[in-house]
Amino acid sequence: MDNLRDLPNSDGFFGNYGGKFVPETLMFALKELEDTYDQLKSDPDFLKQIDQDLCHFVGRPSPLYFADRLTKHYDGPNIWLKREDLNHTGAHKINNTVGQILLAKAMGKKRIIAETGAGQHGVATATVAARLGLECHIYMGAADVQRQSLNVYRIKLLGAEVHAVDSGTATLKDALNEAMRDWVTNIDDTYYIIGSVTGPHPYPMIVRDFNSIVGRELRDQSIEHFNAFPEAIIACVGGGSNAMGIFYPFVSDPEVQLIGVEAAGSGIETGKHAAPLNDGHPGILHGAKSYLMQDENGQVIDTHSVSAGLDYPGVGPEHSNLKDSGRAIYLAVNDKEALDAFHMVTRLEGIMPALETAHAFAALDHLSGKFNKKDNIVINVSGRGDKDINTVATMDGISLD
Amino acid sequence: MIRLERKFASLKENSKKALVAYLVAGDPDISTTLELMHQFVLSGVDIIELGVPFTDPIAEGPIIQAAHDRALQANTSLDMIFSLVEEFRSKDSETPVILMGYINTFLANSKALESIHERGTDAVLIVDVPGESSLEDIGIQNKNIASISLISPTTDNDRIQKICMSSSGFIYYVTLRGVTGASNLNEDEIQKNILNIRNSTNLPVLAGFGIKTASDARALSQISDGVVIGSVLVEMIQELSEKKDYKKIYNYLNEISAAINP
């Protein structure tokens, strides 16, 4: 198992997955990014700057909180919550953007672009760009612009320009396509902040490393609170950055079960879902080889999930390797289960999770009986649910107008 | 591959430049594509580049993206495209045909790719595979088809050499930073870079991306071995497909052909 921690290899592969499958124009920019990151990742000044930003700007460390009523409700293992929802801007996404914006600065880039699904990465990117006074463009599927209108307005307030993408399915994957096209066109002065552990090498590694602060904190906090590592860590997986960030520091600790939760949408059996690790095949999209929702001709299939942040046909290549190696397992929960979990956690704990995060909570129903009462399990609360109240109201048949 | 070599040898013998025309297979439908391919050849086209439609064509501008969508609407599969080329060959045994697309569709059909040269295809150009990889590296076992690679304004010398080593057919020089159909050509830079590429290879070097007018084509053909025209044709196909009268395209191609070989 030890070698899993040493990936990716120098070609950007995690086992069979990953790589750099991009148009030639981008190869130079990926090399430039790789070299910069290689140089800075052990530079004391750079690391100090990140630590300071994470502490004073983001508000880290995020607490490890005991969910007393949720634990009583399930009458099973002790349930702990890693509170990424308490970060500045409301999700784990800011951990990555504070790091990448420093790379952009070090590379002398003047213009920042990003894709976003639920809008959290768009907000987190617009936030760090505003802080450094950099021009910022956010690509967002037109369908997501509709269902995440609060975040769209937040991004605009932060001074960034939002580009609604109409092509394809008008969701996250199309936003990524369009951001890549922008990058090819403006390659000389533009830095692309990818928001998940997806895309061509070195992005899956960089985004994982910046998010790994979550798992590193959890190592200390779990010893402090219950004097052991957790029995299991549960996190939702779209592209998979919050999951990778909390999993990675535990990859070489086989006693810690790693459980990812994908979006089963209307149900895996209906085909209308966003669960490539459960019901996809290896393929290549957005620069990396990984599990992918595709038809027999290699065309990417439309996805479905109530959660804009999980509504993506691919997944980070490192997750594909963790799946094949058996180090992590991946469940899937459907829209209704996620919505029920959203309500349950809100009422029992006074914590309103993002719909993405609600998938991780919904997995608790699938895991009953798997743990002892003395066990401790941790759920990564990847983000808060304020952005989702319109969607939840609509699903519950309530009009807010 | 042999057809490509013969074509470039004959162009060279006659001191002529190559005109490559791109269209998306299956836009608006396969039978129209077949008709257009034959008519393109009659209008002065030397090599046909068939776009293989993909749901997520990240190197394409909006015009060609929309054509990919239309072809997918018409349920165009890679297998149908292999058959299309086979049918084209029943009347045209000489014009080289290149398939240009994205790796995921090719991988999904890797078995069928083993026999495509017997079915008339001469080369593949896979946009999202790094040019230094061979077809074998990515799981395509076929020594009889050429592997055409892109070199862009941002490719450094080290990569240029590696790409030239693993390429065959010709080198496709991307004339701009951007997607297909953009318009920011910089002639001086293009000339300098093409001369530089020629230090690493004896393969023909063609220029493409963003060539629209006869004067663009003429200027670029003077500093390369030929030009690739794509978005303009695809846009006209879309515009004319309702009336199914494509004469305007044939006239345009004749004009381009005359401009590059006056």
Coordinates of all heavy atoms in Angstrom, one line a residue, chain A residues 173 280-286 288 290-302 313, chain B residues 52-57 68 72 75-79 101-110 113 126 128:
Chain A
K173 N -19.1 19.8 -17.0 CA -18.1 19.4 -18.0 C -18.0 20.4 -19.1 O -16.9 20.5 -19.7 CB -18.5 18.0 -18.5 CG -19.5 17.9 -19.7 CD -19.6 16.5 -20.2 CE -20.8 16.5 -21.2 NZ -20.5 17.1 -22.5
G280 N -19.4 3.2 -14.6 CA -18.7 3.8 -15.8 C -17.6 2.9 -16.2 O -17.4 1.8 -15.6
H281 N -16.8 3.3 -17.2 CA -15.7 2.5 -17.7 C -14.5 3.5 -17.9 O -14.7 4.6 -18.2 CB -16.0 1.8 -19.0 CG -17.2 1.0 -19.0 ND1 -17.2 -0.3 -18.4 CD2 -18.5 1.2 -19.3 CE1 -18.4 -0.8 -18.4 NE2 -19.2 0.1 -19.0
P282 N -13.3 2.9 -17.8 CA -12.1 3.8 -18.0 C -12.2 4.5 -19.4 O -12.5 3.8 -20.4 CB -10.9 2.9 -17.9 CG -11.4 1.8 -17.0 CD -12.8 1.6 -17.4
G283 N -11.9 5.8 -19.4 CA -11.9 6.5 -20.7 C -11.1 7.8 -20.5 O -10.5 8.0 -19.4
I284 N -11.1 8.7 -21.5 CA -10.2 9.9 -21.3 C -11.1 11.1 -21.6 O -11.7 11.2 -22.7 CB -9.0 9.8 -22.3 CG1 -8.1 8.7 -21.9 CG2 -8.3 11.2 -22.3 CD1 -7.0 8.4 -22.9
L285 N -11.2 12.0 -20.6 CA -11.9 13.2 -20.7 C -11.1 14.3 -20.0 O -10.6 14.0 -18.9 CB -13.3 13.1 -20.1 CG -14.2 14.4 -20.2 CD1 -14.5 14.7 -21.6 CD2 -15.4 14.2 -19.3
H286 N -11.1 15.5 -20.5 CA -10.4 16.6 -19.8 C -9.0 16.3 -19.4 O -8.6 16.7 -18.3 CB -11.3 17.1 -18.6 CG -12.6 17.6 -19.1 ND1 -13.8 17.5 -18.3 CD2 -13.0 18.3 -20.2 CE1 -14.8 18.0 -18.9 NE2 -14.3 18.5 -20.1
A288 N -7.3 13.6 -18.7 CA -6.8 12.5 -17.9 C -7.6 11.2 -18.2 O -8.8 11.3 -18.5 CB -6.9 12.8 -16.4
S290 N -9.5 8.1 -16.7 CA -10.1 7.8 -15.4 C -11.5 7.1 -15.7 O -11.9 7.0 -16.9 CB -10.4 9.1 -14.6 OG -10.6 8.8 -13.3
Y291 N -12.2 6.6 -14.7 CA -13.5 6.1 -14.9 C -14.4 7.2 -15.5 O -14.3 8.4 -15.1 CB -14.1 5.5 -13.7 CG -13.6 4.1 -13.4 CD1 -12.5 3.9 -12.7 CD2 -14.4 3.0 -13.8 CE1 -12.0 2.6 -12.4 CE2 -13.9 1.7 -13.6 CZ -12.7 1.5 -12.9 OH -12.3 0.3 -12.7
L292 N -15.2 6.9 -16.4 CA -16.0 7.9 -17.2 C -17.4 7.3 -17.6 O -17.5 6.1 -17.9 CB -15.2 8.2 -18.4 CG -15.8 9.2 -19.4 CD1 -15.9 10.6 -18.8 CD2 -14.8 9.3 -20.6
M293 N -18.4 8.2 -17.5 CA -19.7 7.8 -18.0 C -19.7 8.0 -19.5 O -19.6 9.1 -20.0 CB -20.8 8.7 -17.4 CG -20.7 8.8 -15.9 SD -22.0 7.9 -15.1 CE -23.5 8.6 -15.8
Q294 N -19.7 6.9 -20.2 CA -19.6 6.9 -21.7 C -20.4 5.8 -22.3 O -20.7 4.8 -21.7 CB -18.2 6.9 -22.1 CG -17.5 5.6 -21.6 CD -16.0 5.5 -22.0 OE1 -15.6 5.9 -23.1 NE2 -15.2 5.0 -21.1
D295 N -20.8 6.0 -23.6 CA -21.5 4.9 -24.3 C -20.5 4.0 -25.0 O -19.3 4.3 -24.9 CB -22.6 5.5 -25.2 CG -22.0 6.3 -26.4 OD1 -20.8 6.1 -26.7 OD2 -22.7 7.0 -27.1
E296 N -21.0 3.1 -25.8 CA -20.0 2.1 -26.4 C -19.2 2.7 -27.5 O -18.2 2.2 -27.9 CB -20.8 0.9 -26.9 CG -21.7 1.1 -28.1 CD -23.1 1.7 -27.7 OE1 -23.3 2.1 -26.5 OE2 -23.9 1.9 -28.6
N297 N -19.6 3.9 -28.0 CA -18.8 4.6 -29.0 C -17.8 5.6 -28.4 O -17.1 6.4 -29.1 CB -19.7 5.3 -30.0 CG -20.4 4.4 -30.9 OD1 -19.8 3.5 -31.4 ND2 -21.7 4.5 -31.0
G298 N -17.7 5.6 -27.0 CA -16.8 6.5 -26.4 C -17.3 8.0 -26.3 O -16.5 8.9 -26.1
Q299 N -18.6 8.1 -26.5 CA -19.2 9.5 -26.3 C -19.6 9.6 -24.9 O -20.1 8.7 -24.3 CB -20.4 9.7 -27.2 CG -20.2 9.5 -28.7 CD -19.2 10.5 -29.3 OE1 -18.8 11.5 -28.7 NE2 -18.7 10.2 -30.6
V300 N -19.4 10.8 -24.3 CA -19.6 11.1 -22.9 C -21.2 11.2 -22.7 O -21.8 11.9 -23.5 CB -18.9 12.3 -22.4 CG1 -19.2 12.6 -21.0 CG2 -17.4 12.1 -22.6
I301 N -21.7 10.5 -21.7 CA -23.1 10.4 -21.5 C -23.5 11.6 -20.6 O -22.8 12.0 -19.7 CB -23.5 9.1 -20.8 CG1 -23.2 7.9 -21.7 CG2 -24.9 9.1 -20.3 CD1 -23.4 6.6 -21.0
D302 N -24.8 12.1 -20.8 CA -25.3 13.1 -19.9 C -25.4 12.6 -18.5 O -25.8 11.5 -18.3 CB -26.7 13.5 -20.4 CG -26.7 14.2 -21.7 OD1 -25.5 14.4 -22.3 OD2 -27.7 14.6 -22.2
P313 N -19.4 13.7 -15.4 CA -19.3 12.4 -15.9 C -18.0 11.7 -15.5 O -17.9 10.5 -15.7 CB -19.5 12.5 -17.4 CG -19.0 13.9 -17.7 CD -19.4 14.7 -16.5
Chain B
V52 N -13.9 13.4 -36.6 CA -14.7 12.4 -36.0 C -15.4 13.1 -34.8 O -14.8 13.6 -33.9 CB -13.8 11.3 -35.5 CG1 -14.6 10.2 -34.7 CG2 -13.0 10.6 -36.6
P53 N -16.8 13.1 -34.8 CA -17.5 13.9 -33.8 C -17.3 13.3 -32.4 O -17.3 12.1 -32.2 CB -19.0 13.8 -34.3 CG -19.0 12.6 -35.1 CD -17.7 12.5 -35.8
F54 N -17.2 14.2 -31.5 CA -17.0 13.9 -30.0 C -17.9 14.8 -29.2 O -18.0 16.0 -29.6 CB -15.5 14.0 -29.7 CG -15.2 13.6 -28.2 CD1 -15.8 12.4 -27.7 CD2 -14.4 14.4 -27.4 CE1 -15.5 12.1 -26.3 CE2 -14.1 14.0 -26.1 CZ -14.6 12.9 -25.6
T55 N -18.4 14.4 -28.1 CA -19.2 15.2 -27.3 C -18.5 16.4 -26.7 O -19.1 17.4 -26.3 CB -19.8 14.4 -26.1 OG1 -18.8 13.5 -25.6 CG2 -21.0 13.6 -26.5
D56 N -17.1 16.2 -26.5 CA -16.4 17.3 -25.7 C -15.1 17.7 -26.5 O -14.0 17.4 -26.0 CB -16.1 16.8 -24.3 CG -17.3 16.5 -23.5 OD1 -17.9 15.4 -23.6 OD2 -17.8 17.4 -22.8
P57 N -15.3 18.3 -27.7 CA -14.1 18.6 -28.5 C -13.4 19.9 -28.0 O -13.7 21.0 -28.5 CB -14.7 18.8 -29.9 CG -16.1 19.3 -29.6 CD -16.5 18.7 -28.3
H68 N -19.9 19.1 -34.7 CA -19.8 17.8 -33.9 C -21.2 17.4 -33.3 O -21.6 16.3 -33.4 CB -18.8 17.9 -32.8 CG -17.3 17.8 -33.3 ND1 -16.5 16.8 -32.8 CD2 -16.6 18.5 -34.2 CE1 -15.3 16.9 -33.4 NE2 -15.3 17.9 -34.2
L72 N -23.4 14.1 -34.1 CA -23.8 13.2 -33.1 C -25.4 13.0 -33.1 O -25.9 11.9 -32.8 CB -23.3 13.6 -31.7 CG -21.8 13.5 -31.6 CD1 -21.3 14.1 -30.2 CD2 -21.3 12.0 -31.6
N75 N -26.5 10.5 -35.1 CA -26.0 9.2 -34.6 C -24.7 8.7 -35.4 O -24.6 7.5 -35.6 CB -27.1 8.1 -34.7 CG -28.2 8.4 -33.8 OD1 -27.9 8.7 -32.6 ND2 -29.4 8.4 -34.3
T76 N -23.8 9.6 -35.8 CA -22.6 9.2 -36.5 C -21.7 8.5 -35.5 O -21.3 9.1 -34.5 CB -21.9 10.4 -37.1 OG1 -22.9 11.2 -37.8 CG2 -20.8 10.0 -38.0
S77 N -21.3 7.3 -35.9 CA -20.3 6.6 -35.1 C -19.0 6.4 -35.8 O -19.0 6.6 -37.1 CB -20.8 5.2 -34.7 OG -20.9 4.4 -35.8
L78 N -17.9 6.1 -35.2 CA -16.7 5.9 -35.8 C -16.8 4.8 -36.9 O -16.2 4.9 -38.0 CB -15.6 5.6 -34.8 CG -14.1 5.7 -35.3 CD1 -13.8 7.0 -36.0 CD2 -13.2 5.6 -34.1
D79 N -17.5 3.7 -36.5 CA -17.7 2.6 -37.4 C -18.3 3.1 -38.7 O -17.9 2.7 -39.8 CB -18.5 1.5 -36.8 CG -18.3 0.2 -37.5 OD1 -17.1 -0.2 -37.7 OD2 -19.3 -0.4 -37.8
G101 N -9.7 13.5 -34.6 CA -10.6 13.4 -33.5 C -10.0 13.4 -32.2 O -8.8 13.8 -32.0
Y102 N -10.7 12.8 -31.2 CA -10.3 12.8 -29.8 C -10.1 11.4 -29.4 O -10.8 10.4 -29.8 CB -11.3 13.6 -29.0 CG -11.3 15.0 -29.4 CD1 -11.9 15.5 -30.5 CD2 -10.5 15.9 -28.6 CE1 -11.9 16.8 -30.9 CE2 -10.5 17.2 -29.0 CZ -11.1 17.7 -30.1 OH -11.0 19.0 -30.5
I103 N -9.2 11.2 -28.5 CA -8.7 9.9 -28.1 C -9.8 8.9 -27.6 O -9.8 7.7 -27.9 CB -7.5 10.0 -27.1 CG1 -7.0 8.6 -26.6 CG2 -7.9 10.8 -25.9 CD1 -6.3 7.8 -27.6
N104 N -10.8 9.5 -26.9 CA -11.7 8.6 -26.3 C -12.6 7.8 -27.3 O -12.8 6.6 -27.1 CB -12.7 9.3 -25.3 CG -13.2 8.4 -24.2 OD1 -12.5 7.6 -23.6 ND2 -14.5 8.3 -24.1
T105 N -12.9 8.4 -28.4 CA -13.7 7.7 -29.4 C -12.8 6.7 -30.1 O -13.3 5.6 -30.5 CB -14.3 8.6 -30.4 OG1 -13.3 9.6 -30.8 CG2 -15.5 9.4 -29.9
F106 N -11.6 7.0 -30.3 CA -10.7 6.0 -30.9 C -10.4 4.8 -30.0 O -10.4 3.7 -30.5 CB -9.3 6.7 -31.3 CG -9.5 7.6 -32.5 CD1 -9.6 9.0 -32.3 CD2 -9.5 7.1 -33.8 CE1 -9.7 9.8 -33.4 CE2 -9.6 7.9 -34.9 CZ -9.7 9.3 -34.7
L107 N -10.2 5.1 -28.7 CA -10.0 4.0 -27.8 C -11.2 3.0 -27.7 O -11.0 1.8 -27.6 CB -9.6 4.5 -26.4 CG -8.2 5.0 -26.2 CD1 -8.0 5.4 -24.8 CD2 -7.2 4.0 -26.7
A108 N -12.4 3.6 -27.8 CA -13.6 2.8 -27.7 C -13.7 1.9 -28.9 O -14.4 0.9 -28.9 CB -14.8 3.7 -27.6
N109 N -13.0 2.2 -30.0 CA -13.0 1.4 -31.2 C -11.7 0.9 -31.6 O -11.4 0.7 -32.8 CB -13.5 2.3 -32.4 CG -15.0 2.6 -32.3 OD1 -15.8 1.8 -32.7 ND2 -15.3 3.7 -31.7
S110 N -10.8 0.6 -30.6 CA -9.4 0.3 -30.9 C -9.3 -1.0 -31.8 O -8.4 -1.1 -32.6 CB -8.6 0.2 -29.7 OG -9.1 -0.8 -28.8
L113 N -9.8 -0.2 -35.4 CA -8.7 0.6 -36.0 C -7.6 -0.3 -36.6 O -6.9 0.2 -37.4 CB -8.1 1.5 -34.9 CG -9.0 2.7 -34.5 CD1 -8.5 3.3 -33.2 CD2 -8.9 3.7 -35.6
I126 N -4.9 12.6 -33.7 CA -5.7 12.6 -32.4 C -5.2 13.9 -31.6 O -4.1 14.0 -31.2 CB -5.5 11.3 -31.7 CG1 -5.8 10.1 -32.6 CG2 -6.3 11.3 -30.4 CD1 -5.6 8.8 -32.0
D128 N -5.9 15.2 -28.8 CA -5.6 15.3 -27.3 C -4.6 14.2 -26.9 O -4.6 13.8 -25.7 CB -6.9 15.3 -26.5 CG -7.8 14.1 -26.8 OD1 -7.6 13.4 -27.8 OD2 -8.8 13.9 -26.1

